[in-house]
Amino acid sequence: MRIFGIIVLITLIGCNGCKNSKQSETVVDPNQMAADLVAMNKAKHEAEIVEINEFIKNKGWSVITTGTGLRYWIYENGTGELAKTDDIVSIAYTVQQFDGKQLYEASRDKPGTFKVGQDNVESGLHEMLLLMHVGDKAKVILPSYLAFGLTGDSNKVSHDMPLVYDLELVAIN
């Protein structure tokens, strides 16, 4: 009988604790959570813009900024045709972080090739090539959202990383 009484007492105490823990649960407001995420994203975006502008200032580049936030400077003008959507292009490039660490490259001898506006490459790269003539060489800064975004490329580019390209449009095939 004593064991039965102890089990009942433990059960009552345990249930009382359950009620208290349920009362102390925090209810998450989805609207507040969305507002907090928007505010965090806006702050991150503004900090990245400051970082990009500081990088450009330190380099002394005279860049043009597009409506999407892509920044570029064509430092050598080519004489070829202007690239268009659906063109298959060959490009020579280096891709670097702001600290100068090189991540990727393709040379004139072994260029990267893809279809503008179609293939799965950074959206900022598609945008930039539509501004280039064959033979143009450009310095290009892709904000993270025009590069690999929140996830990076699962290889060398980490999440939320703006990238610097030294880009040449070698040919339109």
Side-chain angles (χ1 to χ4, degrees):
M1 208 45 158
R2 275 178 102 171
I3 294 177
F4 179 75
I6 293 173
I7 292 173
V8 169
L9 182 61
I10 291 172
T11 304
L12 290 174
I13 292 171
C15 288
N16 191 25
C18 292
K19 284 183 181 178
N20 290 338
S21 68
K22 285 186 179 182
Q23 291 172 350
S24 67
E25 285 182 15
T26 304
V27 177
V28 177
D29 177 5
N31 293 328
Q32 183 61 49
M33 184 185 292
D36 291 347
L37 288 172
V38 167
M40 285 175 25
N41 192 44
K42 183 177 179 183
K44 184 247 167 260
H45 176 72
E46 289 170 354
E48 186 173 288
I49 289 171
V50 169
E51 179 184 20
I52 290 170
N53 290 338
E54 190 66 28
F55 177 83
I56 292 167
K57 180 182 172 188
N58 290 339
K59 291 292 186 179
W61 294 348
S62 178
V63 301
I64 296 171
T65 303
T66 69
T68 65
L70 175 108
R71 289 159 176 85
Y72 71 96
W73 166 43
I74 297 177
Y75 64 89
E76 189 174 314
N77 292 306
T79 57
E81 65 181 292
L82 185 67
K84 307 178 296 301
T85 299
D86 295 329
D87 282 345
I88 297 175
V89 298
S90 295
I91 59 172
Y93 60 86
T94 59
V95 182
Q96 297 180 334
Q97 299 175 167
F98 280 172
D99 66 5
K101 179 181 177 187
Q102 186 169 308
L103 304 172
Y104 296 105
E105 72 176 318
S107 66
R108 287 183 59 82
D109 297 334
K110 293 183 181 179
T113 302
F114 68 94
K115 191 171 188 178
V116 178
Q118 300 293 318
D119 285 346
N120 189 22
V121 297
E122 304 85 65
S123 63
L125 193 54
H126 288 285
E127 180 183 354
M128 184 62 217
L129 286 164
L130 292 172
L131 301 170
M132 295 180 74
H133 294 86
V134 173
D136 281 352
K137 293 182 180 180
K139 300 286 188 180
V140 184
I141 300 173
L142 301 183
S144 62
Y145 58 88
L146 293 177
F148 290 94
L150 294 172
T151 60
D153 73 349
S154 300
N155 191 12
K156 295 181 180 182
V157 179
S158 65
H159 70 290
D160 289 333
M161 180 185 289
L163 297 173
V164 180
Y165 276 78
D166 193 343
L167 179 63
E168 177 183 5
L169 179 51
V170 175
I172 297 175
N173 306 318

